[in-house]
Amino acid sequence: MNHSTDNVLTMQAISEIEREIIEEFDLFEDWGQKYEYIIEIGQRLPELDAAFRSDSYRIKGCQSSVWLNCHHRDGKLFFDADSDSTFVKGEIALLIRVLSGQAADAIIGADLAFIDAIGLRQHIAVSRANGLASMIKQMKLYAVGYKSGESHVR
Amino acid sequence: MRVLTDPAVTKISGFDLERIRKDFPVLSETAYGKPLVYLDNAATTQKPRSVIEALNEYYSGYNANIHRGVHYLSQKAGEAYDRVRVLVKDFIHAASEREIIFTRGTTESINLVAATFGRKYISAGDEIIISGMEHHSNIVPWQLLCEEKGAVLKVIPVLDNGELDLASFQKLIGDKTCLVSVVHTSNTLGTVNPVKEIIRIAHSRKIKVLVDAAQAMIHSTIDVQDLDCDFLAFSGHKMLGPTGTGVLYGKAGILEKLPPYQGGGEMIESVSFDKTTFADIPVRFEAGTPSIADVIGMGSAIGYLSTMDRKAAGMHEKFLLKEATAALEEIPGVRIIGNSPGKASVVSFVVDGLNALDIGMYLDTRGIAVRTGHHCTEPLMNRFGIPGTVRASFLFYNTGEEVRQLTESLKMAIQLLTKK
């Protein structure tokens, strides 16, 4: 595939951010410490504009809901989100840190290997409780929609 | 781990909690390096060594397909399998082992009734009554049936304390009612429903009753002849047995009139392309090779329960529930959902402003296994206006110390999650 120079740079940026996150999580000794850190960043996630806390922005999980909004500026996509679960907010905060501000192609192509590397997937993958996979899917769908020009991304 | 038990139980009956815990290998496991505190017994119970050994013995000693084999191994397996039917019959005090149908679990047992009794007796305009605290598996099969037949589903309301509104039931039941299907013990609230009274009322109008006893079997002694229920559904894995096992009890007089459930091997008498005749009950409802090893394992579970002092076990569970309830009530912001008198050892709660999933995940980091969410009872959650609860469900092998760990860890979770 023929990537533009721009996209190659953003791809590197994504992997760079992922590497930073992996290094941060390396400092923790056990799952309990990782949980507390994810809660902490969840609590720090900026509040989502109430206008976006409606059903059209909602991703319904089995035990939590996520509201995800996307807008674009200069060819880059930006996400903001909220959840009724602080832990899920922490996960969103990580995803936003990696994907927000990136180009659509970079978002679509991101493999998000950090989720495995920080040991998050093993705690959530088997459970339908956590809508992480749906969140990632929705972020990528926004990017696909933006690319094809038929998006509801404003 | 310090083992704390009700002094009264230990004193009166010699209930030896430490010895009982040793029968369940998983209980000495760790989670994240911490001793496992298993409080998710309403989802599935742990298995005693005797059950695990029964599975092992079957596969290493006499694995064979049953009933139509002429060889030694097949007969040995067949005998062990058939013996479980007698064990189940005695365990629930059924009149005959012909009334015991093996299924994959409570869900399949209920679906079996919907597919056979429902197919034969329910038609357009008929009514089926369930309750507002049913598990989805005692809702959805009836919804599917109602949709297919044009029948109507009616729901007995739940009172604020988690009891059924029996007065409303008396008004719901009528000439169009064809079946009442209610849960014996609520998996979410622990409420023990007055099923005997419900059955009496239904029978006075010649209406058949199915009892969902999935949660009841491990906590209560069930006597189907005393209850006089027409059907009783339960799972092996919620009463110390393997997953993939279950039972449908049905009165022989009713089962004999029902059409088959699934078609296949085992359930036939003879097959030709012109006409197939079906086996007698209960085999008529058991198409295909059954889960032989697991059924034998369920037999071992019944054996374990039959030899233990279940009265003392019940007293110990009441003690755990009392301790947990008292400690939870003292924590600010905690609200227990379901306070019916005489409830089973299940405590469901919410914490003001906090998400149940976050709490459950925190408890998990401490090695404490609870369940969070709607517990497959979404309509019940809507009734209480909550998205879900944290549920701790205790069994006789749990300790007072584990209850203390739950409540202490909960306090830490609340502190962490409310920190701004």
Side-chain angles (χ1 to χ4, degrees):
Chain A
M1 210 153 94
N2 195 10
H3 286 292
S4 74
T5 326
D6 240 15
N7 279 343
V8 172
L9 283 177
T10 12
M11 284 300 282
Q12 282 169 334
I14 283 185
S15 55
E16 186 64 23
I17 302 166
E18 289 197 59
R19 205 171 52 78
E20 274 173 27
I21 292 173
I22 293 166
E23 279 171 13
E24 280 168 27
F25 272 79
D26 273 347
L27 300 173
F28 301 123
E29 282 163 14
D30 62 14
W31 167 233
Q33 289 181 354
K34 290 177 185 175
Y35 169 92
E36 291 196 20
Y37 180 65
I38 293 170
I39 290 293
E40 198 186 310
I41 56 177
Q43 286 168 335
R44 288 204 310 256
L45 185 72
E47 213 165 295
L48 181 71
D49 191 326
F52 302 117
R53 263 189 86 120
S54 71
D55 275 355
S56 40
Y57 294 91
R58 186 166 173 225
I59 307 165
K60 199 182 176 305
C62 179
Q63 293 192 36
S64 61
S65 286
V66 169
W67 293 268
L68 181 68
N69 177 45
C70 180
H71 63 275
H72 66 93
R73 196 174 61 236
D74 306 331
K76 304 280 165 72
L77 298 182
F78 296 85
F79 298 97
D80 38 1
D82 197 2
S83 172
D84 48 5
S85 153
T86 311
F87 186 86
V88 174
K89 275 170 85 170
E91 289 177 330
I92 301 170
L94 289 173
L95 288 176
I96 286 179
R97 188 170 149 195
V98 174
L99 297 179
S100 200
Q102 304 286 348
D105 277 334
I107 292 167
I108 295 163
D111 67 354
L112 304 174
F114 80 97
I115 296 169
D116 274 321
I118 66 175
L120 190 54
R121 196 180 298 274
Q122 71 183 91
H123 290 285
I124 56 172
V126 290
S127 165
R128 283 172 292 179
N130 195 303
L132 185 66
S134 315
M135 274 188 273
I136 294 168
K137 192 174 154 199
Q138 188 56 45
M139 288 171 127
K140 292 197 173 211
L141 278 175
Y142 269 128
V144 171
Y146 173 74
K147 255 192 89 181
S148 65
E150 50 171 62
S151 95
H152 34 289
V153 179
R154 273 141 305 126
Chain B
M1 183 186 300
R2 200 154 58 91
V3 172
L4 194 69
T5 182
D6 182 358
V9 177
T10 329
K11 216 167 170 181
I12 293 168
S13 64
F15 180 77
D16 189 347
L17 186 52
E18 265 176 273
R19 190 188 56 73
I20 288 171
R21 285 182 68 83
K22 288 203 181 92
D23 292 338
F24 294 81
V26 166
L27 298 181
S28 47
E29 284 295 311
T30 56
Y32 316 118
K34 302 175 178 75
L36 174 72
V37 176
Y38 187 77
L39 305 179
D40 195 18
N41 293 290
T44 195
T45 62
Q46 294 304 340
K47 319 304 171 198
R49 206 176 302 278
S50 56
V51 169
I52 300 162
E53 275 166 11
L55 296 177
N56 193 20
E57 277 166 20
Y58 170 79
Y59 282 120
S60 33
Y62 59 103
N63 168 53
N65 209 335
I66 54 172
H67 289 157
R68 293 180 200 270
V70 290
H71 55 82
Y72 171 83
L73 224 51
S74 174
Q75 282 173 15
K76 189 171 174 185
E79 273 167 28
Y81 179 85
D82 291 340
R83 210 157 37 232
V84 180
R85 218 185 285 277
V86 180
L87 284 175
V88 173
K89 178 208 87 171
D90 292 338
F91 190 59
I92 62 171
H93 196 226
S96 154
E97 60 256 38
R98 295 175 71 239
E99 301 181 317
I100 309 300
I101 302 163
F102 290 130
T103 65
R104 283 183 298 138
T106 310
T107 300
E108 190 179 39
S109 297
I110 295 171
N111 275 282
L112 196 162
V113 177
T116 57
F117 180 90
R119 197 195 311 161
K120 181 157 182 175
Y121 294 111
I122 310 259
S123 43
D126 286 345
E127 293 175 357
I128 297 166
I129 297 179
I130 59 171
S131 89
M133 66 174 84
E134 298 308 323
H135 188 283
H136 294 164
S137 59
N138 197 24
I139 301 174
V140 185
W142 308 119
Q143 282 177 327
L144 292 170
L145 180 68
C146 285
E147 205 168 297
E148 187 189 320
K149 297 281 192 171
V152 182
L153 195 61
K154 298 270 178 176
V155 182
I156 311 167
V158 177
L159 299 170
D160 287 342
N161 72 348
E163 282 183 77
L164 283 184
D165 182 356
L166 270 198
S168 292
F169 171 61
Q170 303 256 27
K171 285 179 210 147
L172 279 181
I173 197 163
D175 295 339
K176 290 180 175 173
T177 311
C178 275
L179 180 74
V180 176
S181 186
V182 285
V183 67
H184 182 291
T185 301
S186 161
N187 69 311
T188 304
L189 308 175
T191 309
V192 178
N193 289 315
V195 285
K196 198 172 174 182
E197 175 65 3
I198 290 170
I199 292 163
R200 193 191 59 75
I201 294 166
H203 282 179
S204 70
R205 292 168 166 271
K206 301 196 175 354
I207 296 161
K208 304 283 186 264
V209 181
L210 184 156
V211 174
D212 169 358
Q215 297 295 330
M217 302 309 296
I218 192 73
H219 299 297
S220 315
T221 307
I222 299 292
D223 181 329
V224 289
Q225 294 187 72
D226 177 55
L227 281 178
D228 200 25
C229 54
D230 301 288
F231 300 104
L232 183 94
F234 60 93
S235 299
H237 76 96
K238 291 188 198 284
M239 44 177 272
L240 316 183
T243 52
T245 58
V247 168
L248 175 68
Y249 157 84
K251 282 181 182 165
I254 301 171
L255 294 182
E256 277 163 355
K257 296 194 189 86
L258 295 182
Y261 172 44
Q262 296 175 323
E266 284 279 332
M267 53 79 71
I268 49 92
E269 188 182 65
S270 80
V271 176
S272 77
F273 289 118
D274 297 324
K275 181 161 177 62
T276 292
T277 53
F278 303 112
D280 194 7
I281 64 165
V283 180
R284 186 193 303 164
F285 305 102
E286 297 177 357
T289 297
S291 196
I292 304 163
D294 298 313
V295 165
I296 292 169
M298 178 166 68
S300 289
I302 290 172
Y304 186 92
L305 287 170
S306 304
T307 51
M308 80 180 295
D309 184 346
R310 295 197 71 195
K311 192 163 171 249
M315 280 172 72
H316 179 61
E317 287 176 1
K318 290 266 179 282
F319 159 76
L320 296 171
L321 179 66
K322 206 175 96 202
E323 293 283 303
T325 306
L328 288 170
E329 278 172 345
E330 277 180 19
I331 304 173
V334 172
R335 182 159 57 99
I336 294 174
I337 308 295
N339 299 291
S340 61
K343 70 179 216 177
S345 49
V346 171
V347 61
S348 238
F349 59 91
V350 291
V351 183
D352 289 342
L354 297 188
N355 179 282
L357 175 64
D358 292 343
I359 295 170
M361 288 185 81
Y362 178 82
L363 295 175
D364 173 56
T365 69
R366 317 285 300 174
I368 302 171
V370 294
R371 192 148 291 251
T372 61
H374 53 58
H375 317 294
C376 292
T377 56
E378 267 191 81
L380 182 64
M381 296 293 96
N382 294 336
R383 153 67 181 84
F384 285 100
I386 50 177
T389 70
V390 180
R391 180 189 73 187
S393 47
F394 310 106
L395 201 64
F396 51 74
Y397 50 53
N398 288 124
T399 71
E401 170 61 18
E402 287 178 317
V403 170
R404 198 193 60 79
Q405 284 186 32
L406 167 72
T407 54
E408 288 308 307
S409 297
L410 176 63
K411 286 178 197 165
M412 289 155 77
I414 293 171
Q415 199 181 12
L416 179 78
L417 290 165
T418 47
K419 199 165 65 185
K420 274 278 166 261

